[in-house]
Amino acid sequence: MVKAVTSFGGSGLSDWLVQRVSGVVLLAYFLVVGSFLVCNGAELTYEQWSAYFDSTFMRVFSTAAVLSVVAHSWIGLWSVSTDYLTERMMGGKGTVLRLAFQAASAVVLFTYLVWGIQILWS
Amino acid sequence: MLKVSLYRYNPEVDQEPYMQDVEIDTAGKDLMVLDVLELLKAKDPSLAYRRSCREGVCGSDGMNMNGKNGLACITPISEALKNGKGGNTLVLRPLPGLPVIRDLVIDMSLFYQQYEKVKPYLVNNTPAPAIERLQSPEERAKLDGLYECILCACCSTACPSFWWNPDRFIGPSGLLQAYRFLADSRDTATEQRLSELDDPFSVFRCHGIQNCVNVCPKGLNPTKAIGHIRNMLLSRGT
Ligand code: SF4
Ligand code: SF4
Ligand code: FES
């Protein structure tokens, strides 16, 4: 039996909402950064790029984007693992595999989070 | 002659399921798939399937015909062949995702357990009026497209989310019934019903793929009902 405790908020509604909101944040982020890239295209220098990300707005926005990646991925990966890596699908080893997969995902996402914040705020 | 490929499995004799190729004379008529099964059973009485009303009302003969779930009694051969898989051969399999008891007969226990979970009956603890609990025509109209479900399981067994988690995802059929009582003006257990649905599996495993809508022989729309439940959860939770 897969327990729901490892989901993001324990409630289906909060997971679902977080998934939608983080999706919108990411879409907005890629549109903003994408349009900056398109506008400055070929002649973009390192100084411009670095100055662009130095502004408080971009720092906060990038942090929001990093948080969204982490939350969005966790909920998505958790759902996938509780769909496919289960006792029903693969017998007893389902639980072991699922936990290992979730632990690995958590480590990777936590690393991204710390790393991202370090890059943005140091 | 019509070529038929039949899923056969008798656990008392067979090690594993196999597809049996048979031919049957339909006298050139575009029979219903259930009629074909009756003809085949007359030749081989060991063939097992469920049926009762033979007119799309009882919901017992849900099966997979050339890759698509439906009721054999109201699906003409020509329509089954149009589903694509199998060419000119009529391919009959049990509904997917649930254990097979024998041939085209599946064990629907998990499907019924999910149905039971949504408390598919009216809950109203206020004193009963002398004659009946009244509903305006508008209130009654809200139940259209919900109450007609015949529990044939064509939808739930076409839903990938139900295949992966039939013990925790209610599935399109059960959720359609859940909404049928959430939408009923005479029911007073709305809050309790909603709180029992707000976990990551019961409702939220639906990813809106709409396989359910695609196969429902009664033309019902479980995806829409699921959207209504989600909106009710949303306005209750925010
Ligand atoms: S819309 Fe939802 S309930 Fe219907 S088949 Fe898709 S996942 Fe299943
Ligand atoms: S919603 Fe349609 S397909 Fe699903 S059980 Fe009811 S009648 Fe059958
Ligand atoms: S036999 Fe009753 S629905 Fe087909």
Side-chain angles (χ1 to χ4, degrees):
Chain A
M1 179 72 193
V2 182
K3 280 274 166 56
V5 282
T6 40
S7 84
F8 203 67
S11 130
L13 180 70
S14 62
D15 277 11
W16 184 81
L17 261 182
V18 169
Q19 199 74 331
R20 301 299 141 207
V21 172
S22 57
V24 172
V25 170
L26 285 175
L27 180 66
Y29 189 73
F30 283 111
L31 286 179
V32 168
V33 175
S35 55
F36 176 77
L37 276 176
V38 170
C39 295
N40 294 280
E43 339 44 285
L44 185 67
T45 64
Y46 172 76
E47 283 70 29
Q48 277 173 307
W49 184 243
S50 152
Y52 179 62
F53 280 95
D54 251 354
S55 71
T56 312
F57 173 77
M58 274 316 286
R59 282 189 175 180
V60 172
F61 198 14
S62 303
T63 310
V66 172
L67 287 173
S68 296
V69 168
V70 171
H72 199 92
S73 318
W74 172 252
I75 295 170
L77 292 168
W78 184 82
S79 300
V80 171
S81 68
T82 51
D83 269 352
Y84 298 102
L85 305 175
T86 59
E87 297 89 327
R88 168 171 297 278
M89 297 291 282
M90 40 182 45
K93 65 180 194 294
T95 306
V96 179
L97 267 174
R98 185 172 70 252
L99 281 177
F101 175 82
Q102 289 175 353
S105 309
V107 168
V108 170
L109 292 174
F110 185 71
T111 311
Y112 281 171
L113 180 68
V114 173
W115 197 9
I117 289 181
Q118 210 177 24
I119 296 171
L120 288 165
W121 296 95
S122 61
Chain B
M1 293 298 264
L2 175 72
K3 282 203 194 109
V4 187
S5 174
L6 270 178
Y7 181 103
R8 298 301 303 265
Y9 179 53
N10 178 355
E12 282 164 23
V13 202
D14 304 325
Q15 290 283 331
E16 51 186 42
Y18 61 97
M19 297 304 289
Q20 180 187 34
D21 290 315
V22 281
E23 287 201 0
I24 193 81
D25 186 7
T26 56
K29 282 190 237 153
D30 192 12
L31 299 174
M32 295 294 173
V33 173
L34 181 63
D35 299 330
V36 175
L37 280 168
E38 302 280 294
L39 290 173
L40 290 170
K41 194 172 171 74
K43 281 168 97 185
D44 176 1
S46 74
L47 175 62
Y49 52 89
R50 291 193 180 107
R51 58 140 306 162
S52 179
C53 69
R54 60 100 185 94
E55 57 184 10
V57 173
C58 70
S60 5
D61 61 346
M63 62 186 68
N64 187 280
M65 296 167 281
N66 291 56
K68 189 174 174 190
N69 294 352
L71 297 174
C73 59
I74 52 169
T75 307
I77 301 167
S78 59
E79 203 181 296
L81 292 179
K82 269 191 241 150
N83 291 336
K85 294 219 177 92
N88 280 327
T89 306
L90 181 65
V91 186
L92 303 179
R93 293 169 178 274
L95 290 175
L98 290 174
V100 174
I101 297 175
R102 181 168 163 174
D103 297 340
L104 302 174
V105 178
I106 55 165
D107 177 357
M108 311 242 301
S109 309
L110 280 163
F111 175 79
Y112 291 134
Q113 275 166 30
Q114 297 302 341
Y115 179 54
E116 216 177 313
K117 268 198 211 164
V118 308
K119 302 204 174 77
Y121 42 81
L122 202 72
V123 178
N124 189 330
N125 294 326
T126 60
I131 300 177
E132 58 190 331
R133 293 187 197 278
L134 292 177
Q135 241 179 349
S136 71
E138 294 74 31
E139 287 167 341
R140 169 60 188 77
K142 287 194 180 142
L143 309 182
D144 289 341
L146 303 171
Y147 79 92
E148 299 93 328
C149 170
I150 55 172
L151 298 176
C152 64
C154 287
C155 56
S156 292
T157 58
C159 169
S161 291
F162 189 75
W163 295 340
W164 312 148
N165 288 295
D167 48 347
R168 285 167 298 164
F169 174 52
I170 304 264
S173 170
L175 289 169
L176 189 86
Q177 288 318 295
Y179 184 61
R180 182 245 170 275
F181 288 96
L182 285 167
D184 194 314
S185 61
R186 300 162 298 176
D187 190 278
T188 54
T190 310
E191 172 56 35
Q192 195 201 339
R193 290 179 187 279
L194 287 176
S195 69
E196 283 166 9
L197 292 172
D198 184 20
D199 61 274
F201 286 98
S202 299
V203 176
F204 288 95
R205 271 304 144 120
C206 169
H207 299 304
I209 313 155
Q210 307 224 5
N211 279 9
C212 49
V213 183
N214 200 16
V215 297
C216 177
K218 299 306 247 182
L220 307 179
N221 190 333
T223 311
K224 201 164 130 201
I226 294 169
H228 288 309
I229 298 180
R230 198 185 284 136
N231 288 343
M232 289 179 89
L233 284 166
L234 198 61
S235 53
R236 165 182 174 271
T238 49

